[in-house]
Amino acid sequence: EAQVTQNPRYLITVTGKKLTVTCSQNMNHEYMSWYRQDPGLGLRQIYYSMNVEVTDKGDVPEGYKVSRKEKRNFPLILESPSPNQTSLYFCASSSSGGRGVAFFGQGTRLTVV
Amino acid sequence: GDSVTQMEGPVTLSEEAFLTINCTYTATGYPSLFWYVQYPGEGLQLLLKATKADDKGSNKGFEATYRKETTSFHLEKGSVQVSDSAVYFCALPNAGGTSYGKLTFGQGTILTVHP
């Protein structure tokens, strides 16, 4: 079954404690992205990757890092989380030059206290 | 830059009522247009799409027509069900350049359908 898998689904952490949210897709897609969803703001892109070792900033990259060492995996790293990073995070992957249909993970609800 | 504007929500309807969620966009050229749906506790999934002007996308009783002249892609359903309760997002893919691979989303519209 084609899917994007994120872990964990829920995470509560304290300010400044480094964390990683994992994302893996089994569709051999070149393009992967991270979004955050906040009430009234829709989804905003954090980072994206066009292929292995190729990543770039989206609209709201501050405070986040990513890596793409393998085609299937695209982890999101928060080196020093702050309360304003409390949000719902989604990983997505797509083919067709990045302009096709995107497949989303189930989301990670992060709370930073 | 590209942008998508959706009607303000939330929207509350009774079962079997008619649904319209408005979506207008600003974009370079003529991109594909999508409606995504997010059911409670789940990720987004594609509901329907249209790839060129005057195309009509349809799925699960929902329809949307790509109107180039009004830059709109309104979502409609003739008779909603309780199971349609979800958040609906209008979206368009960026044309390229530094935003390659990005989807621009509207704010989302929360739909609640009561029995």
Side-chain angles (χ1 to χ4, degrees), chain A residues 11 13-22 34-36 46-47 60-67 75-87 89 108 110-112:
Chain A
L11 180 59
T13 190
V14 297
T15 299
K17 184 176 181 181
K18 180 180 178 179
L19 65 92
T20 299
V21 183
T22 63
W34 277 102
Y35 293 86
R36 60 179 288 173
I46 302 170
Y47 268 93
V60 288
E62 293 77 20
Y64 305 95
K65 285 176 56 177
V66 294
S67 68
L76 179 70
I77 303 156
L78 284 71
E79 294 267 359
S80 183
S82 62
N84 65 11
Q85 293 178 297
T86 293
S87 187
Y89 291 87
T108 296
L110 172 65
T111 302
V112 184

Side-chain angles (χ1 to χ4, degrees), chain A residues 3-97:
Chain A
Q3 59 185 5
V4 178
T5 303
Q6 285 179 237
N7 280 296
R9 291 288 308 278
Y10 302 92
L11 180 59
I12 301 174
T13 190
V14 297
T15 299
K17 184 176 181 181
K18 180 180 178 179
L19 65 92
T20 299
V21 183
T22 63
C23 174
S24 181
Q25 51 96 2
N26 63 1
M27 295 166 279
N28 202 37
H29 285 164
E30 294 85 6
Y31 299 86
M32 299 186 73
S33 292
W34 277 102
Y35 293 86
R36 60 179 288 173
Q37 181 181 5
D38 301 291
L41 297 177
L43 279 80
R44 295 176 293 167
Q45 191 185 51
I46 302 170
Y47 268 93
Y48 66 95
S49 170
M50 294 197 291
N51 214 324
V52 174
E53 303 292 1
V54 181
T55 63
D56 208 346
K57 297 176 181 177
D59 295 323
V60 288
E62 293 77 20
Y64 305 95
K65 285 176 56 177
V66 294
S67 68
R68 188 92 181 273
K69 293 182 168 53
E70 304 165 285
K71 196 172 187 179
R72 63 183 291 124
N73 296 324
F74 191 45
L76 179 70
I77 303 156
L78 284 71
E79 294 267 359
S80 183
S82 62
N84 65 11
Q85 293 178 297
T86 293
S87 187
L88 180 57
Y89 291 87
F90 288 101
C91 179
S93 74
S94 61
S95 61
S96 302

Side-chain angles (χ1 to χ4, degrees), chain B residues 4-72:
Chain B
V4 176
T5 302
Q6 280 181 240
M7 64 181 290
E8 296 283 337
V11 175
T12 303
L13 296 172
S14 298
E15 211 165 22
E16 299 183 3
F18 183 83
L19 169 70
T20 299
I21 301 177
N22 291 337
C23 170
T24 57
Y25 67 91
T26 303
T28 303
Y30 304 105
S32 298
L33 295 170
F34 304 124
W35 276 100
Y36 281 86
V37 59
Q38 183 182 24
Y39 297 106
E42 298 184 14
L44 282 75
Q45 55 186 275
L46 181 71
L47 178 61
L48 55 84
K49 67 176 182 179
T51 57
K52 60 183 187 296
D54 299 325
D55 261 4
K56 177 184 282 188
S58 62
N59 185 27
K60 299 182 180 181
F62 290 89
E63 292 183 340
T65 301
Y66 188 153
R67 302 285 189 200
K68 182 178 66 175
E69 63 276 12
T70 55
T71 61
S72 65

Side-chain angles (χ1 to χ4, degrees), chain B residues 88-99:
Chain B
Y88 292 83
F89 293 93
C90 186
L92 65 89
N94 281 60
T98 59
S99 299

